[in-house]
Amino acid sequence: MNKTIWDRFAPVYSLAMKSQKNIYDYMYKHIADAVMGKKVLELATGPGLIAKHVAWSAERITATDFSPEMIEQAKKGNVPSNVVFEIADASDLHYEDKFFDVVIIANALHVVPNPEKVLSEIDRVLVDGGLLICPTFIHRSAEKKENLWAKILKLVGIHFAHQWTAEEFKTFIESKGWKITASEIVPGRIDLFYAECVRK
């Protein structure tokens, strides 16, 4: 992944995601329910939209991104007192083993080149029986035809490293030792596969 591209995209990320408002509203509601009273780690927080919207429900949230500019954007505005924003690489986390009750990685597994390594790190920092929440943008059909929104993202340098359908993503997650306990496809400019998982 090219950190420079995400640094460049950081100032307009929130504006771009307004076109996916229904998807974000869905995530805010369901994630808030899932993190009630929990110690949460968010990976690939971007400008902190999810962390800021669900902080009222969690005990505390450590929200991270590998892009320094994304973290700078996240720190702007009203930051809840139980949220801390930090720079971190999702594939090489500096947090201790079995520390977080919930890990969130939203709209990111499909863009990272090494999702297996990211899932391994998530497993390491999650408590036994902890929850992984991994909403992921998907393709509607196995033909992998990009819609207009995906083509626009590609023009600014954002590529999908993995072009999963819902079934392909489900198969991938389960093949890495996770059990999906709740899921739903949320339609949008690019559809979202919302998933909550625990280790098998």
Side-chain angles (χ1 to χ4, degrees), residues 56-169:
W56 63 270
S57 176
E59 177 185 328
R60 66 176 180 267
I61 299 177
T62 302
T64 70
D65 202 283
F66 87 141
S67 162
E69 287 301 319
M70 284 292 191
I71 293 300
E72 286 304 308
Q73 291 297 318
K75 289 178 177 179
K76 293 180 179 180
N78 182 26
V79 178
S81 60
N82 63 335
V83 175
V84 59
F85 290 109
E86 298 179 350
I87 299 170
D89 181 347
S91 65
D92 187 20
L93 297 172
H94 57 268
Y95 305 107
E96 63 185 86
D97 294 356
K98 302 190 184 304
F99 184 77
F100 296 98
D101 303 309
V102 181
V103 175
I104 303 165
I105 181 164
N107 306 336
L109 284 176
H110 63 288
V111 297
V112 298
N114 53 346
E116 300 87 354
K117 176 60 175 170
V118 173
L119 289 174
S120 177
E121 280 292 272
I122 290 170
D123 182 35
R124 181 181 65 78
V125 300
L126 265 180
V127 299
D128 292 337
L131 183 68
L132 164 63
I133 304 175
C134 53
T136 301
F137 286 136
I138 57 168
H139 285 260
R140 293 181 179 178
S141 70
E143 282 73 30
K144 310 292 190 302
K145 293 180 180 177
E146 295 177 329
N147 64 16
L148 178 60
W149 186 238
K151 290 177 181 177
I152 291 171
L153 291 176
K154 183 178 284 187
L155 286 174
V156 299
I158 297 173
H159 302 271
F160 286 11
H162 309 280
Q163 299 185 25
W164 292 304
T165 63
E167 282 304 313
E168 288 169 344
F169 180 66

Side-chain angles (χ1 to χ4, degrees), residues 4-30:
T4 302
I5 290 171
W6 290 100
D7 284 345
R8 190 182 308 131
F9 192 48
V12 297
Y13 185 94
S14 296
L15 180 62
M17 290 303 103
K18 284 185 177 181
S19 66
Q20 298 277 60
K21 183 179 183 301
N22 70 305
I23 282 177
Y24 276 81
D25 287 346
Y26 177 96
M27 288 196 293
Y28 298 152
K29 178 184 183 303
H30 286 78

